[in-house]
Amino acid sequence: MSEQLLQINQIHADIEEKEILHGVSLNINPGETHVLMGPNGAGKSTLGHVLMGNPKYHISSGNIIFKGNDITGESMLSGCLQDFLRGRVLQ
């Protein structure tokens, strides 16, 4: 079995001291496609902002592992992860 491409482990994140994400976890393996669905205010966009390293969002606990590297809290994520999040194929 190949290494997981993206691991989101128990992420808690807030903006302006209001917690939006409450322990979100997600594992994505190479070749998989995942869709986030939910009602307005569920945290879909917040998760995207956190993954892209938007400095307005604060990760209070948890971690993000991309291709084996802990990228939690990085302000500017690698172009490779940005391509992945935009739906481009990674090899």
Side-chain angles (χ1 to χ4, degrees):
M1 184 168 172
S2 63
E3 179 181 356
Q4 289 184 330
L5 186 61
L6 179 66
Q7 294 173 271
I8 302 169
N9 303 306
Q10 290 295 311
I11 288 291
H12 290 256
D14 60 76
I15 185 168
E16 298 176 359
E17 299 184 20
K18 179 179 179 180
E19 188 173 68
I20 306 295
L21 300 180
H22 310 277
V24 173
S25 294
L26 175 67
N27 294 317
I28 299 177
N29 295 307
E32 292 182 346
T33 301
H34 292 250
V35 176
L36 298 177
M37 296 176 65
N40 291 344
K44 303 175 300 292
S45 295
T46 297
L47 181 59
H49 285 288
V50 166
L51 289 173
M52 296 301 287
N54 186 326
K56 292 181 180 180
Y57 293 81
H58 171 254
I59 297 172
S60 57
S61 66
N63 63 7
I64 302 166
I65 310 295
F66 178 66
K67 291 183 136 183
N69 298 306
D70 189 339
I71 61 167
T72 309
E74 291 187 17
S75 61
M76 295 297 284
L77 300 182
S78 73
C80 207
L81 178 57
Q82 290 180 17
D83 286 347
F84 169 72
L85 293 171
R86 289 185 185 116
R88 295 187 181 136
V89 176
L90 295 177
Q91 298 178 349

